[in-house]
Amino acid sequence: MASYRGAIVDMDGTLVRGGNPLPGANEGIRALRENGIDLLLFSNNPTQPPERYVERLAAHGISIDEEQVLTSALVTAEFLEAEYGERDLFVVGETYLRDLLRERGFTVLEDPDAAELVVGSIDREFDYDELTRAFWALEDGAPFVGTDPDVTIPAAERLVPGSGAIINAIAGVAGREPEHILGKPAPEAGAAALERLGVRAEDCLVVGDRLDTDIALGERIGATTVLVQSGVTTPDSLDETAVQPEYILDNVGQIGKLLEN
């Protein structure tokens, strides 16, 4: 392999699943560091702040700084700041996302008729009434933004619905797609990750378990892509899509051998 300066590494399905580390997580992180590669851990999960990931990984012996963690919530907040200013928002999402947007100067409203922009995301208390309010908030043409496209996400034992499922429900009843879906593999996500790493895409690895987000992000920015088969992607999935990784590993712990080649 060529010499690399940075790596964008997925979290759920790559390093951890639920509350447990995946095989090879510690070895993979150690191998990247021993090869002088700067790390950015990038999760499409918009429900947790970076410090929670730091604590979660520390419990499994992996030391990461908050500045080395990027989430779809952060990408969404930065995008809205840059593109939409301090608009009044109607947010379908969980507490952290709402609080983050308030911290960035946005007003999060409960009244759908007063909203100037709608944000869709995972909400594990999402129900018919919330779907109705989101539908109403979009009736007059307010911009519609989603945090990430993940229809399913890995939990401790089985896959569960993610942000994409809720965004799709809102889009279906509103009869319109979001103007933007942030998080991997959006170009805004790639730009945010590379800016934090301070490396060129051609000097970067993207490592993850999902073809449609992790590997697609790497393809989009022109990085080298590494698929780990510890998450949602099965061999059959590889036969059914045009998105193809450059390297395939059973788990992230094998990346050291890959870097030696």
Side-chain angles (χ1 to χ4, degrees):
M1 288 184 84
S3 177
Y4 293 94
R5 296 180 52 219
I8 301 167
V9 182
D10 177 53
M11 293 272 289
D12 294 291
T14 301
L15 296 177
V16 294
R17 187 180 184 102
N20 300 313
L22 284 166
N26 293 68
E27 293 86 349
I29 294 297
R30 184 166 57 249
L32 290 165
R33 284 176 165 157
E34 288 175 351
N35 281 272
I37 297 173
D38 291 333
L39 298 176
L40 180 74
L41 305 189
F42 192 166
S43 174
N44 261 5
N45 182 345
T47 69
Q48 302 291 338
E51 55 265 30
R52 189 63 59 83
Y53 288 102
V54 171
E55 296 167 359
R56 185 178 175 191
L57 291 172
H60 304 304
I62 299 174
S63 177
I64 293 290
D65 295 331
E66 288 183 24
E67 294 75 18
Q68 294 176 291
V69 179
L70 180 63
T71 70
S72 62
L74 289 168
V75 175
T76 300
E78 291 170 7
F79 172 80
L80 292 176
E81 281 182 304
E83 297 296 325
Y84 289 102
E86 297 180 357
R87 297 206 185 187
D88 293 341
L89 308 179
F90 183 86
V91 178
V92 178
E94 299 198 356
T95 301
Y96 167 64
L97 177 63
R98 292 168 174 267
D99 289 346
L100 175 65
L101 292 171
R102 290 188 183 101
E103 289 171 7
R104 298 300 179 99
F106 294 96
T107 301
V108 178
L109 303 173
E110 297 300 323
D111 179 5
D113 294 324
E116 299 173 296
L117 187 147
V118 177
V119 179
S121 185
I122 186 172
D123 181 352
R124 284 164 287 191
E125 296 183 356
F126 183 68
D127 59 16
Y128 183 84
D129 289 342
E130 189 75 353
L131 177 61
T132 300
R133 289 192 291 273
F135 170 47
W136 290 342
L138 290 169
E139 278 188 315
D140 292 331
F144 181 18
V145 173
T147 57
D148 65 277
D150 291 13
V151 175
T152 61
I153 53 176
E157 296 180 359
R158 303 174 67 174
L159 295 176
V160 296
S163 297
I166 291 174
I167 293 167
N168 289 345
I170 297 170
V173 73
R176 52 179 285 207
E177 296 299 315
E179 280 82 0
H180 301 277
I181 298 181
L182 290 310
K184 298 174 290 188
E188 295 86 356
L194 291 173
E195 181 180 2
R196 279 169 168 79
L197 277 171
V199 303
R200 301 179 304 169
E202 54 264 39
D203 297 325
C204 188
L205 294 166
V206 176
V207 185
D209 70 303
R210 298 186 73 117
L211 293 170
D212 58 344
T213 56
D214 304 311
I215 305 307
L217 176 76
E219 282 192 357
R220 176 165 283 169
I221 65 176
T224 298
T225 55
V226 181
L227 176 75
V228 293
Q229 297 186 100
S230 53
V232 302
T233 299
T234 64
D236 289 343
S237 304
L238 289 165
D239 297 332
E240 298 169 356
T241 176
V243 178
Q244 294 292 315
E246 294 172 67
Y247 299 94
I248 301 174
L249 306 176
D250 290 336
N251 62 66
V252 71
Q254 296 177 342
I255 202 163
K257 293 181 179 178
L258 189 64
L259 292 169
E260 293 171 3
N261 295 332

